[in-house]
Amino acid sequence: MSEAQNQTFKAEIKQLLDILIHSLYKEKEIFLRELVSNASDALTRLQFEMLTNDKVVNPEAELGIYLEAKKPEEGEEGDSWLIIKDTGIGMTAEELARNLGTIAQSGAREFLGKLREHGDNQPDINDVIGQFGVGFYSVFMAANEVKVISRSYNPEAEAAMWISDGGDTFRIEAAEKVDRGTEIHIKLRADSAEFADVWQLKQIVKKHSDFVAFPVYVDGEQANQQESLWRKRPADVEDEAYTSFYQMMTMDFEPPVSTIHFSSDAPLNLRSLLFIPAKREKMMFHKRQEPGPMLYCKNVLIQEYTPDLLPKWLHFVDGVVDSEDVPLNVSRESVQNTRIMRQLGKTIKRRVIREVKKLLEDEEKQEAFWGEFGRYFKEGLAMAFEDRDDIMPLLRFKSSKSDGKLISLETYIGRMQEGQDKIYYVTGDNLASAENSPHLDPLKERDIEVLYLVDAYDMYMSPSLRDYEEKQFQNVADADLGLPENEAEDAAEDAEDTATDESFDGLVARFKDVLGERVIDVVPSKVLSGSPYRLVAGEGEAQAGVSRLQRFVDQDFEIPKRTLELNRKHAMVNNIINLMGQEGQEELVNLSIEQLFDSALLQEGLHPNPAEIVPRMQRMIELATQA
Ligand code: ADP
Ligand code: MG
């Protein structure tokens, strides 16, 4: 590099500079965060390079970031300067022009691209800090001249300098610099002289860059905590530190509901700091949009997202996993498949499950937690049946005896009735429809508890509910419930069996006539007590839960056929029988039968279009209110 060259910024940068300088940030100080984050990126990249290459300039140099302030002497006129140095990867003249002259060519992006060239089988290194920042150019919010002097890690390369006043052009010149890394000399605007104040600088570093993985020195003194929080002993970390780390990592507004900080040295080296967020939905500015914790090895970020570390049904967990045992120079596939990774995953999973259990046992937190993340476990059971032993104990349900609280299967089994050998559940579109389900009649009579499955994820999960601790799950909507004997009911049944009731037979015939093909059969119920009717699936028919799910997803949903059971002791049923015996009530009888059937479908969550019922309702009211 012999001659200085004047080069023009790409149009997009000019725009960006304009916005930055004139309006964007009220908080000018964030430029410092951007520069420190770039320095930290450069150090991370150097570290990564040094894993495989020892032919770098100054291999022994401390990996650090150094801020120096220069103010004019008391009483003297002059400019204030801020200098930021790092001992990172550095840039050649070409790299300076490319990285600081165009946005599209941002070095971090190119670095990622280079990794991808290796066929997606290199670990990603991508520091998250400042991901949403505007990067290097934000320096012009505070500067009216910037010089970037850099010396690449590559021994062959020469030092070079980039200079600009934030106008339309920049210049590249040869430079003197013997040590590796980058120095940014910032001539501060008059209105930004505060950035040459050491105390101010320390505050800003603490505020925005406290957990940067390299030491940040201000005037020779380290200003950030630097030690990765996850490498500290839990006893030495204050709660606020966890929260601020979490919020810096994710940009989540809310603090996490659980912080899981643990370490082990044998059989595996592991330092881990994981979080359970308060909410499932991620806000727009959430920094971590993909699942899976960050994977570090000896403080080097190996993978920004490591989804395979935890099963999918724990993907709401985020954080950092750091292990010195992770092999570095292997392809991505083999990172996933190594024994070490499996072992790491197993350890972490166990620890997370323990924490989830704790949340679920916490009276105050369980409801909110289950509301946010319960669906992960339900989906997990449906998708990852092999994980059932892990998932089943975590499932929570409301039930006919839980007083609106959530209970575990363990609790359910613990209070089963004598002679009961099944776990009963009822499905419904919501809690109210489950609570009022006619299928509960025979269980109420026996004082047997019934679990409520009331959301779409419950429906999705229900086919996977087979057994737990050798107790079969039983949908109460099935015809045969395998209930323990009940004397009162048996007596009633016997009585009914012997009594031939012509009028009831007539009613059944009328029902069959009106409903025709829409039902498999109409029969007197052997189980109903308080409810007038119920629909039951025939042998081998899809369960109500599955049908209900189809109703949600299938446009051409066909109502599954059911057997209609009628409770001959119920007043409503007897009223219809009476009505049948009266002149001129034909229409009301037929409408009642139609309405009764539609109501049964509604209660089962099987009605394809409830709005259709309204005109009939109106006609019935008209008839019922006739003088
Ligand atoms: P980003 O960091 O998002 O890539 P920036 O505008 O902050 O965008 O930086 C542009 C590029 O300039 C970086 O990607 C990097 O290649 C290069 N760069 C900036 N600062 C440094 C530095 N201190 N050391 C080495 N390279 C740097
Ligand atoms: Mg940057």
Side-chain angles (χ1 to χ4, degrees):
M1 179 91 19
S2 47
E3 270 168 57
Q5 315 159 358
N6 255 319
Q7 303 183 41
T8 311
F9 283 120
K10 289 270 149 63
E12 54 190 337
I13 294 189
K14 274 191 260 175
Q15 277 168 4
L16 176 64
L17 283 169
D18 202 53
I19 296 170
L20 278 173
I21 294 166
H22 293 113
S23 54
L24 189 61
Y25 282 126
K26 296 201 178 59
E27 263 190 289
K28 263 193 260 173
E29 64 187 40
I30 68 105
F31 88 87
L32 206 59
R33 181 192 74 185
E34 295 298 324
L35 297 187
V36 168
S37 126
N38 282 351
S40 164
D41 276 345
L43 289 160
T44 304
R45 288 161 66 195
L46 178 86
Q47 256 184 342
F48 191 69
E49 182 67 33
M50 284 178 72
L51 294 171
T52 51
N53 178 4
D54 54 7
K55 292 196 184 52
V56 303
V57 176
N58 301 133
E60 307 297 334
E62 186 196 9
L63 300 180
I65 300 166
Y66 310 82
L67 274 57
E68 281 165 39
K70 273 198 230 152
K71 278 201 266 197
E73 295 290 322
E74 281 282 326
E76 278 183 31
E77 292 284 303
D79 296 310
S80 294
W81 288 79
L82 170 63
I83 300 159
I84 301 180
K85 288 186 199 172
D86 66 65
T87 48
I89 192 114
M91 285 176 275
T92 63
E94 288 75 13
E95 285 165 338
L96 277 169
R98 199 169 49 223
N99 296 339
L100 305 182
T102 59
I103 289 184
Q105 299 270 342
S106 138
R109 247 172 268 163
E110 192 170 77
F111 175 59
L112 284 174
K114 202 170 139 199
L115 287 178
R116 269 184 223 109
E117 266 173 32
H118 293 264
D120 205 24
N121 54 16
Q122 287 263 341
D124 266 358
I125 287 202
N126 177 11
D127 204 336
V128 276
I129 309 169
Q131 210 177 22
F132 282 86
V134 282
F136 172 78
Y137 306 100
S138 61
V139 69
F140 287 106
M141 293 191 295
N144 50 28
E145 186 185 306
V146 177
K147 290 183 201 158
V148 182
I149 303 160
S150 196
R151 169 97 198 248
S152 166
Y153 74 99
N154 182 350
E156 317 279 298
E158 283 165 31
M161 172 156 71
W162 177 102
I163 308 169
S164 176
D165 61 3
D168 289 351
T169 62
F170 64 89
R171 201 165 73 238
I172 302 281
E173 289 177 8
E176 285 293 313
K177 180 169 167 63
V178 284
D179 36 345
R180 182 195 68 223
T182 302
E183 302 177 11
I184 304 179
H185 295 245
I186 301 159
K187 188 161 115 195
L188 295 165
R189 295 161 175 273
D191 63 5
S192 300
E194 78 239 43
F195 298 112
D197 183 287
V198 168
W199 186 82
Q200 281 268 11
L201 288 173
K202 283 185 179 162
Q203 296 305 307
I204 300 172
V205 167
K206 264 218 127 356
K207 181 166 160 200
H208 294 293
S209 314
D210 207 23
F211 298 111
V212 166
F214 304 93
V216 180
Y217 299 99
V218 177
D219 225 22
E221 231 181 277
Q222 184 165 349
N224 63 332
Q225 293 210 24
Q226 185 226 342
E227 186 190 0
S228 333
L229 207 53
W230 60 88
R231 296 201 144 261
K232 291 190 173 184
R233 292 188 326 160
D236 297 339
V237 185
E238 309 263 328
D239 284 352
E240 298 88 73
Y242 286 131
T243 303
S244 81
F245 175 81
Y246 169 77
Q247 290 183 325
M248 202 180 87
M249 176 182 98
T250 59
M251 297 276 253
D252 192 351
F253 295 121
E254 289 187 62
V257 285
S258 282
T259 299
I260 314 167
H261 186 186
F262 68 104
S263 62
S264 84
D265 291 300
L268 214 61
N269 172 285
L270 172 62
R271 302 280 176 276
S272 186
L273 179 53
L274 300 170
F275 300 98
I276 298 178
K279 293 273 154 60
R280 179 183 66 244
E281 301 283 354
K282 294 186 171 172
M283 311 300 281
M284 189 162 73
F285 294 113
H286 201 282
K287 266 194 183 179
R288 296 190 44 82
Q289 292 292 348
E290 283 174 49
M294 293 185 256
L295 180 65
Y296 279 80
C297 169
K298 299 185 192 116
N299 257 333
V300 182
L301 181 60
I302 303 297
Q303 242 172 245
E304 171 133 33
Y305 299 100
T306 320
D308 310 296
L309 218 41
L310 284 169
K312 211 166 163 219
W313 48 274
L314 291 175
H315 270 184
F316 54 88
V317 174
D318 205 350
V320 176
V321 173
D322 187 337
S323 171
E324 297 182 1
D325 295 330
V326 171
L328 282 173
N329 303 311
V330 285
S331 74
R332 182 171 238 181
E333 282 76 25
S334 52
V335 166
Q336 285 167 16
N337 293 325
T338 51
R339 197 176 50 85
I340 299 289
M341 288 300 282
R342 277 199 303 276
Q343 256 181 319
L344 268 182
K346 227 161 106 185
T347 310
I348 293 161
K349 181 174 87 172
R350 229 179 7 238
R351 197 59 190 70
V352 171
I353 287 177
R354 212 164 88 199
E355 195 64 24
V356 165
K357 277 200 180 126
K358 232 161 69 188
L359 276 176
L360 287 170
E361 276 153 24
D362 186 321
E363 289 268 324
E364 276 172 26
K365 294 183 179 163
Q366 56 159 223
E367 178 100 25
F369 171 78
W370 193 249
E372 289 292 328
F373 300 108
R375 59 174 63 180
Y376 278 80
F377 302 94
K378 296 172 187 179
E379 214 176 2
L381 190 68
M383 302 286 291
F385 198 66
E386 67 279 7
D387 284 348
R388 62 196 311 272
D389 289 347
D390 284 327
I391 299 174
M392 296 288 277
L394 303 176
L395 294 179
R396 292 295 182 274
F397 304 86
K398 291 188 175 170
S399 83
S400 58
K401 287 188 177 186
S402 75
D403 277 333
K405 298 235 168 61
L406 290 162
I407 60 160
S408 65
L409 292 172
E410 194 146 4
T411 303
Y412 181 95
I413 288 176
R415 55 194 196 203
M416 279 174 39
Q417 294 296 325
E418 228 182 87
Q420 177 186 352
D421 60 359
K422 292 188 170 180
I423 300 172
Y424 292 96
Y425 67 91
V426 61
T427 61
D429 275 358
N430 51 46
L431 218 47
S433 76
E435 279 167 350
N436 294 319
S437 168
H439 302 300
L440 296 187
D441 281 7
L443 295 115
K444 278 182 192 153
E445 271 183 1
R446 292 165 176 79
D447 202 26
I448 289 177
E449 183 167 20
V450 181
L451 302 175
Y452 296 152
L453 269 61
V454 289
D455 68 31
Y457 290 88
D458 285 333
M459 303 316 140
Y460 186 44
M461 163 183 75
S462 64
S464 307
L465 287 175
R466 295 187 197 158
D467 58 276
Y468 182 67
E469 308 216 322
E470 287 157 36
K471 312 273 188 293
Q472 302 284 321
F473 281 85
Q474 173 67 56
N475 186 341
V476 297
D478 288 349
D480 182 14
L481 299 182
L483 285 163
E485 301 282 304
N486 179 303
E487 283 169 29
E489 199 175 76
D490 288 346
E493 224 174 80
D494 291 345
E496 279 164 39
D497 283 347
T498 49
T500 53
D501 186 340
E502 272 176 44
S503 57
F504 186 76
D505 290 345
L507 180 75
V508 167
R510 184 66 165 270
F511 262 86
K512 287 186 184 172
D513 213 33
V514 174
L515 298 177
E517 291 291 294
R518 287 178 281 169
V519 287
I520 299 172
D521 203 358
V522 181
V523 298
S525 177
K526 294 181 180 173
V527 297
L528 291 175
S529 49
S531 307
Y533 51 79
R534 70 169 192 150
L535 288 174
V536 286
E539 279 294 325
E541 285 267 329
Q543 285 190 337
V546 180
S547 306
R548 183 177 293 118
L549 198 64
Q550 281 164 357
R551 193 192 89 207
F552 284 120
V553 297
D554 188 357
Q555 292 263 314
D556 310 314
F557 168 70
E558 227 176 275
I559 307 170
K561 271 196 203 176
R562 293 282 190 267
T563 295
L564 178 65
E565 286 185 6
L566 294 174
N567 179 358
R568 60 197 302 172
K569 288 168 287 180
H570 197 280
M572 183 198 292
V573 173
N574 281 304
N575 287 351
I576 302 177
I577 292 177
N578 286 339
L579 210 58
M580 275 172 60
Q582 292 172 27
E583 283 289 298
Q585 295 294 1
E586 176 112 345
E587 185 186 5
L588 190 55
V589 168
N590 290 354
L591 288 176
S592 300
I593 292 172
E594 289 282 358
Q595 189 63 33
L596 184 150
F597 180 63
D598 269 355
S599 308
L601 287 177
L602 265 180
Q603 275 176 306
E604 288 299 304
L606 292 176
H607 203 293
N609 184 6
E612 279 171 4
I613 300 174
V614 175
R616 186 192 312 121
M617 284 291 294
Q618 288 168 343
R619 177 66 186 144
M620 286 179 75
I621 295 169
E622 196 180 326
L623 291 173
T625 52
Q626 260 168 5

